[in-house]
Amino acid sequence: MPVLDKNNQAMVEKYQNFILNSPYSKLSQDMRWEKVKNTWDSDYVYLEDPQTKEITAALSILSIKAVDGKRLMYANRGPVCDFYDIDTVSKLIDEALPVAQKNNAFVLRIDPEVYYDQSLIDQYKQKGFTFRGRETNIHSFTQPHYNMIMDISSGDEEKILSSFHSKTRYNIRLAKRKGIQTRWGRSQEEIDIFHALTKIMAERQGITYRPKEYFERMIAAYPEIRIYISEFENIPLSAAVAFPYNDKMWYLYGASSNEMRNKMPNYDMQWSMIKWAIELKKHFYDFGGVFTLDNTDGLFAFKSGFCGETPVTEWIGELDHVYDQEAYHKFINR
């Protein structure tokens, strides 16, 4: 039964090498993600070619108690295979059954980065799967249903800059004229600055924020991450986590001060991260999620200024393989 034995170092390396080299892999399917999400338990299932014994598909699963002592199993942005290959995805889900039994799980949730396709959803529903798509409250998805993703595959810095909204280009140049400087690092100093700005932003917006240790674990687990910081005369005004993985650069977390916002530090910071993505020859720059598609919303307006004519990306939704209907009903109706 291909459930990964985490005590078998050779198989762990084989699994992780498959993840790192698959075009379908996303950063949260990487085994290192368990070090970041250390309050969750982790399990890994996979399929092998019967002849070569090479791994052909994988599913990295995190689990946590959620309802009546039962566990939610979550394959964040899985599976690592072609989601249009329904038979392969079904086999992976079948292989997860011993994990579900061990964890006393009520559901296995999968939310692939696949463009919305009603025909594909219908095919999964015909197979008996529960699918949460457009009819679902947008705020109840585990991850944002809409993302802003910019195509930078041309690798042409001037062409990409010219694709931005004119106001965005103006603000990028304005930031430099007003003395904004952007740098990056990975040390405790940068983590401390980023987290202090995160706290300021969260208090301004009335939202929660992650503890500093979360970001310390992330930086330690992924040496490719950079923290970008935009400053005026050495005063930090904005900061963000830039995460290159596979063919993307992810703008994963961002924060800003209440001070000197008219100097447009966020614009210089974003452009610095985009230029790094171009340097690494990434195909896409992922600005992360949005919850409204309305220019009166500041977050959407800011991100769409960079994305230009690029349409908003709508993901397909969440496939829920339900093991306990009663617990599942309680969970989705909380």
Side-chain angles (χ1 to χ4, degrees):
M1 186 71 70
V3 175
L4 182 66
D5 177 0
K6 290 191 282 186
N7 294 315
N8 184 332
Q9 190 57 38
M11 282 306 303
V12 167
E13 290 178 6
K14 183 177 179 180
Y15 184 95
Q16 178 67 348
N17 284 336
F18 171 77
I19 298 295
L20 289 172
N21 290 288
S22 171
Y24 301 106
S25 183
K26 302 296 182 287
L27 62 91
S28 51
Q29 282 290 289
D30 191 300
M31 289 188 74
R32 291 173 288 176
W33 196 244
E34 70 173 46
K35 297 177 182 178
V36 182
K37 307 291 285 187
N38 68 340
T39 58
W40 297 59
D41 293 326
S42 60
D43 293 280
Y44 305 91
V45 300
Y46 58 93
L47 302 177
E48 286 183 322
D49 183 294
Q51 303 300 321
T52 66
K53 300 301 180 182
E54 292 299 318
I55 296 175
T56 58
L59 193 65
S60 301
I61 303 168
L62 297 176
S63 63
I64 196 167
K65 286 183 179 178
V67 175
D68 296 338
K70 294 181 177 291
R71 286 179 169 259
L72 161 72
M73 297 202 318
Y74 179 38
N76 186 352
R77 296 311 192 196
V80 185
C81 69
D82 183 357
F83 197 68
Y84 278 81
D85 185 346
I86 298 174
D87 287 342
T88 293
V89 176
S90 297
K91 288 175 183 176
L92 271 175
I93 291 171
D94 288 344
E95 295 297 344
L97 180 58
V99 176
Q101 293 171 334
K102 178 194 75 171
N103 286 325
N104 190 26
F106 65 91
V107 68
L108 167 60
R109 171 164 290 178
I110 301 172
D111 55 359
E113 283 199 355
V114 171
Y115 297 143
Y116 196 91
D117 184 334
Q118 188 61 52
S119 173
L120 183 59
I121 290 174
D122 292 342
Q123 291 176 63
Y124 272 100
K125 286 183 174 180
Q126 288 167 11
K127 288 275 191 177
F129 293 109
T130 298
F131 225 104
R132 304 174 76 240
R134 285 178 177 168
E135 76 289 349
T136 305
N137 183 314
I138 194 170
H139 296 288
S140 72
F141 287 108
T142 310
Q143 302 295 333
H145 189 58
Y146 296 107
N147 268 43
M148 303 291 286
I149 300 175
M150 182 171 61
D151 187 337
I152 57 170
S153 58
S154 71
D156 186 325
E157 190 174 299
E158 287 304 314
K159 181 179 178 181
I160 291 166
L161 179 62
S162 68
S163 72
F164 300 166
H165 190 279
S166 60
K167 184 65 173 177
T168 298
R169 295 197 304 272
Y170 174 82
N171 285 337
I172 290 170
R173 296 179 179 119
L174 180 65
K176 283 303 183 193
R177 290 200 301 273
K178 287 183 173 287
I180 295 297
Q181 297 293 322
T182 297
R183 63 181 179 88
W184 66 269
R186 291 178 41 82
S187 72
Q188 189 64 46
E189 177 193 2
E190 282 79 35
I191 296 172
D192 290 346
I193 290 171
F194 171 79
H195 195 260
L197 290 171
T198 297
K199 183 178 180 181
I200 290 169
M201 183 186 69
E203 290 173 350
R204 180 174 72 240
Q205 297 180 351
I207 58 176
T208 59
Y209 58 97
R210 296 187 183 277
K212 186 187 297 184
E213 293 76 18
Y214 178 90
F215 299 104
E216 290 171 340
R217 293 193 301 271
M218 182 180 292
I219 294 294
Y222 294 89
E224 56 267 47
I225 287 177
R226 291 179 178 180
I227 297 177
Y228 276 77
I229 299 172
S230 290
E231 300 172 323
F232 175 73
E233 296 181 349
N234 298 318
I235 300 171
L237 299 179
S238 62
V241 175
F243 198 149
Y245 196 91
N246 210 326
D247 62 351
K248 270 190 189 183
M249 178 69 73
W250 306 68
Y251 163 45
L252 204 57
Y253 295 98
S256 61
S257 169
N258 297 331
E259 307 301 323
M260 294 182 273
R261 300 177 72 183
N262 64 325
K263 294 184 183 295
M264 306 298 168
N266 289 331
Y267 286 88
D268 189 64
M269 181 179 67
Q270 286 293 342
W271 180 228
S272 297
M273 294 192 294
I274 292 166
K275 288 191 289 186
W276 183 39
I278 295 169
E279 178 187 333
L280 294 179
K281 302 186 187 306
K282 297 301 179 186
H283 292 174
F284 302 99
Y285 186 90
D286 192 330
F287 280 91
V290 290
F291 294 97
T292 105
L293 308 183
D294 185 342
N295 272 316
T296 62
D297 176 79
L299 183 65
F300 177 77
F302 175 75
K303 294 180 178 182
S304 61
F306 286 90
C307 292
E309 298 302 317
T310 304
V312 173
T313 298
E314 181 182 10
W315 299 129
I316 195 166
E318 296 174 340
L319 183 159
D320 284 352
H321 185 55
V322 180
Y323 304 107
D324 183 324
Q325 286 288 348
E326 182 179 352
Y328 178 72
H329 183 76
K330 285 184 181 180
F331 177 72
I332 62 173
N333 290 288
R334 291 180 302 177

